[in-house]
Every structure is written in structure tokens, then in C-alpha cells.
Amino acid sequence: MPSRFDVAIVGLGAMGSAVACQLARRGGRVLGLDRFAPPHALGSSHGQTRIIREAYFEHPAYVPLVRRAYELWAELEGQTGRALFRQTGGLMIGRPDSAVVAGAKRSAKEHSLQHEVLSAAEVRCRFPALQPCDGMIAVWEPRAGILFPEICIEAHLTMARKQGADLRSDEPALSWEDDGGAVRVITSKGAYHAGQLVLTAGSWIQSLLRDLKLPLAVERQVQFWFEPKHPVHFQPERCPIHIWEHEPGRFFYGFPDLGDGVKVARHHEGAIINPDSINREVGPEEVEAMRAFVRQFLPEADGPLRATVVCMYTNTPDGHFFIDWHPAHPQVLIASPCSGHGFKFSTVIGEVMADLLTAGQSRFDLSLFRNRFP
Ligand SMILES: Cc1cc2nc3c(=O)[nH]c(=O)nc-3n(C[C@H](O)[C@H](O)[C@H](O)COP(=O)(O)OP(=O)(O)OC[C@H]3O[C@@H](n4cnc5c(N)ncnc54)[C@H](O)[C@@H]3O)c2cc1C
């Protein structure tokens, strides 16, 4: 295999696998490197399920991106014959002035998205698994649902390989350097020359950008599965994905039971950690803290604990993504689209990055994600 490429990609998780697929489709000589063998359970993209939703409470600017992401997920399903998405509808639940409710309503209104506003009593009646208290309301969006992250990554990697990308597992990039306007990437197994470099190393991205001191913090997050006491209410036909702002600025979310129990997790409030020394054990006090929310808002899911899995968020200070060229090396594209909500966008972010790399521009408004260097 040649050691000279048009583009080298470091990190083949959610984002790296998507950009590899998009670039290979355009005919470039693409090298992809990963320190592990993706899809794996050591980064940010494991745990069976991820939420996709359209009435984006974080900011209306995400809506055009997520709409394109839906199209690309459907396209990838068609190309690979794999089931990547399951539509369940979604509920954003909180006080009327909470970020999840007010933000989802704003996005739905601004982009004319199909939605309904339900009272707590209406939610309890239509979706008996979910028991919001009086005073809460919910925004219902029918197009929301579930992506299967490991299968999605596998699908992107399969398509990238089919289209000629050279993808290498268990080969960490140790460093990279400017090579007369191109790049030289040094790995555990050798050195490669590429015209451009994409850094999509997730929680490890700062180790490849030590000079930049990006304001990114890696946060430990635990996913929990509980056995439901009344399984019928948690079937995907009766239980949509749900995100709760139970107190101002405090969130948890959950999924229907897809056969392994009811998955729930808190959004943020985890410890800030080093990805190389993260504690992957989950203590009983963490289970109890999660169970307290289950007992209050999903009481029929308060059965035995089935499983826990530790994962990592890579957060920016304001929660919006980071996608930009390296300020000193215009042939290096950096992408940290996480902050706990990036997976759903990985198809479209792959397309955006491929457009930036091959055409120098994207048709999407990326201003929320650029010019964020300290
Ligand atoms: C618990 C949890 C729940 C989430 N829920 C949702 C959700 O419901 N919806 C949603 O949209 N998003 C969600 N997210 C966020 C989403 O999963 C992430 O934004 C996304 O997976 C990040 O993808 P990534 O490609 O940046 O990182 P990863 O998928 O982790 O990929 C990074 C890759 O880089 C590799 N790597 C690192 N260093 C090197 C190196 N030096 N050399 C070579 N390879 C390297 C790693 O091995 C890894 O494979 C959640 C995240 C977590 C943790």
C-alpha cells in the first residue's frame, strides 16, 4: 500500500468513519488510523443507542444539519442494507420555561417542524411509562428516534473500505508535523505523508494538539440499563425517546426497552477525567443516584440493574461543536463535535468535512463551530 495519501484521518469513531466514507466516495486516496479497532467501547460512541431528534433545543442552527443527517442515514441504510435508525418519536420534558422545552419549541417554530405541546397529564395518558409531575409539559416530535452507534460506525467503515480507503486499526498516531504545506503522520508502526490531515480523535484530540490548548474537558458518563417491572409500557411502540430537564440546567434521558432493559443516563454532571486513566467501574452510589430519577419519573422501570457502561463526553465551554482549520496549519482540519450530542450529526459532519477538504467550503452555516480558538 502507498504511504502517500491525499488525506490522513486520525480517529475512526463516529466522525472519522463518516469523513473517511465521504472522502473515499469522492475518489481521494484516504488513510484512516485508529488506536483501537472501531467500533469499540473505549471512546464516546458505544452503548447500543443514541438519540436523534430534530426540534433541537440547544440552538435552531442545528436543525438544517440534522435534517441533512437524516437523509444521509437513510442513504447509508440503503447502501449497506443495515438497520441504523428506529423511529420512536421523542419527548422533551420540563417546566414551560426550561431549556429543553423552550428551546425545542423555538427550533420547531423557526423551522416549521411537526410537533405538539402536551401537558403532564397528556404525557402520562399517552405514554404510561413516563410520569412527569404536574407543572411539567412536553414537546412531542414524531420524527425523533434511535441510532445504533456501533452499527452506524461499522457501516461507514465498510463503505469507506469498499470505495478504496486504507483503514488501519490498532495503530495510534503518535504525532504529526507540517511537511512543506502537507503533513507527515508518525504512528506506532511507521510514517505517512498526506496532503491534508483530519483530527477526529474524540476524547484524545488534545494529545495531538498540545500547542493549541483547546478549552476542551473530557467528562465521564455512565449509561444504565434497568429491567422494567411492566415491560409492555416500555416497548418502542409505546415509549418514545425522552429527555428531561428535571431541575433548571439538570438533565437525564432514556430509551424504550429494545430487549436489554430500559436504558437511562444523566446528561453531564460527570467527573472531568483523563481518557487514559478513566475509571470504568460504576459504584453503587452512582446506581442509586440514577435509580432515584427512575423511581420518580419512570417508576415501572425500577427493577433490577441489568448493566452499566462508562463512556466519555468531550465538552466545549458552551456545548457547541468545534470544527475548524488549525490556525497555523491550513491543511489540518480539527473536529470535536461532541459535548454529549454529536452522534446524530456524524453523517452530515462527515459530508461537511469532506466539502471543506475538497472544495474549501460547506453549504451549511458553521459559524457556531468556528473561530473558537482561545
Ligand atoms: C454516554 C453518551 C451518550 C451520548 N448520547 C448521545 C445521543 O443520544 N445523541 C447524540 O447525537 N450524541 C450522543 N452522544 C455524543 C456522541 O456519542 C459523540 O458526540 C460522538 O460519538 C463523538 O464521536 P467522535 O468521533 O468525536 O469520537 P469517538 O467515536 O470516540 O472516536 C474517536 C476515535 O479516535 C480514536 N483515537 C484517539 N486517539 C487516537 C490516536 N492518537 N491515533 C489514532 N486514533 C485515535 C479513538 O480510538 C476513537 O475510535 C453521547 C455520548 C456519550 C458518551
Side-chain angles (χ1 to χ4, degrees), residues 3-10 31 33 175-186 191-199 326 328-333 357:
S3 60
R4 297 180 85 81
F5 295 88
D6 294 319
V7 184
I9 302 163
V10 174
L31 170 70
L33 299 163
S175 62
W176 60 272
E177 59 199 28
D178 195 301
D179 189 6
V183 285
R184 189 162 173 270
V185 182
I186 295 98
Y192 305 93
H193 184 276
Q196 293 171 303
L197 174 65
V198 177
L199 297 176
H326 191 296
H329 304 283
Q331 72 280 40
V332 179
L333 185 58
L357 291 155

Side-chain angles (χ1 to χ4, degrees), residues 15-36:
M15 307 303 155
S17 63
V19 71
C21 179
Q22 286 284 342
L23 285 171
R25 174 187 301 178
R26 291 164 202 217
R29 284 170 303 159
V30 177
L31 170 70
L33 299 163
D34 202 283
R35 64 189 300 154
F36 304 119

Side-chain angles (χ1 to χ4, degrees), residues 21-330:
C21 179
Q22 286 284 342
L23 285 171
R25 174 187 301 178
R26 291 164 202 217
R29 284 170 303 159
V30 177
L31 170 70
L33 299 163
D34 202 283
R35 64 189 300 154
F36 304 119
H40 58 73
L42 299 166
S44 303
S45 302
H46 57 281
Q48 302 173 7
T49 48
R50 290 290 184 269
I51 291 172
I52 181 166
R53 55 196 158 87
E54 214 175 12
Y56 221 67
F57 70 81
E58 290 86 343
H59 199 289
Y62 288 92
V63 176
L65 284 162
V66 83
R67 288 179 139 176
R68 177 65 182 147
Y70 270 101
E71 288 173 5
L72 290 169
W73 287 120
E75 202 177 282
L76 188 62
E77 280 193 326
Q79 288 162 346
T80 58
R82 308 284 309 265
L84 308 178
F85 167 65
R86 173 148 191 180
Q87 188 171 346
T88 60
L91 287 167
M92 308 299 122
I93 308 169
R95 303 270 160 196
D97 60 351
S98 62
V100 288
V101 168
K105 278 167 80 175
R106 179 181 166 207
S107 278
K109 199 167 163 215
E110 228 170 84
H111 291 279
S112 306
L113 302 176
Q114 203 186 340
H115 73 290
E116 278 176 67
V117 178
L118 306 178
S119 68
E122 285 170 319
V123 172
R124 294 192 296 258
C125 176
R126 269 170 73 171
F127 309 105
L130 311 179
Q131 295 288 313
C133 37
D134 292 333
M136 287 178 157
I137 62 170
V139 178
W140 160 254
E141 56 160 295
R143 289 235 297 157
I146 303 170
L147 292 164
F148 304 107
E150 292 88 349
I151 305 171
C152 292
I153 291 174
E154 223 167 62
H156 270 139
L157 294 175
T158 302
M159 288 311 295
R161 275 201 183 93
K162 259 195 188 162
Q163 295 166 125
D166 181 350
L167 307 182
R168 304 181 183 205
S169 296
D170 301 308
E171 184 169 349
L174 304 178
S175 62
W176 60 272
E177 59 199 28
D178 195 301
D179 189 6
V183 285
R184 189 162 173 270
V185 182
I186 295 98
T187 74
S188 57
K189 296 184 183 163
Y192 305 93
H193 184 276
Q196 293 171 303
L197 174 65
V198 177
L199 297 176
T200 42
S203 297
W204 289 269
I205 200 159
Q206 291 183 96
S207 65
L208 296 160
L209 291 165
R210 291 196 195 281
D211 52 326
L212 286 187
K213 308 224 174 334
L214 295 177
L216 296 174
V218 179
E219 184 181 7
R220 180 176 173 278
Q221 292 287 300
V222 184
Q223 306 170 83
F224 302 82
W225 285 258
F226 291 97
E227 195 169 312
K229 292 193 284 194
H230 198 89
V232 72
H233 287 161
F234 291 91
Q235 293 309 298
E237 300 73 28
R238 301 214 60 193
C239 179
I241 60 93
H242 42 102
I243 301 182
W244 303 68
E245 189 169 346
H246 56 94
E247 274 179 41
R250 300 187 68 201
F251 309 87
F252 79 94
Y253 58 90
F255 296 83
D257 183 356
L258 299 174
D260 294 309
V262 174
K263 177 177 159 183
V264 287
R266 285 156 86 173
H267 180 48
H268 295 301
E269 301 186 64
I272 301 304
I273 50 92
N274 176 332
D276 291 319
S277 54
I278 182 171
N279 176 11
R280 294 192 186 268
E281 302 289 308
V282 176
E285 70 296 344
E286 295 181 279
V287 177
E288 263 323 293
M290 188 72 242
R291 196 183 275 289
F293 294 116
V294 168
R295 227 173 254 142
Q296 185 174 359
F297 298 112
L298 318 167
E300 291 177 346
D302 186 21
L305 179 71
R306 283 248 188 114
T308 57
V309 168
V310 171
C311 194
M312 295 183 282
Y313 285 178
T314 305
N315 298 322
T316 57
D318 63 4
H320 295 312
F321 303 153
F322 189 110
I323 305 173
D324 212 344
W325 300 101
H326 191 296
H329 304 283

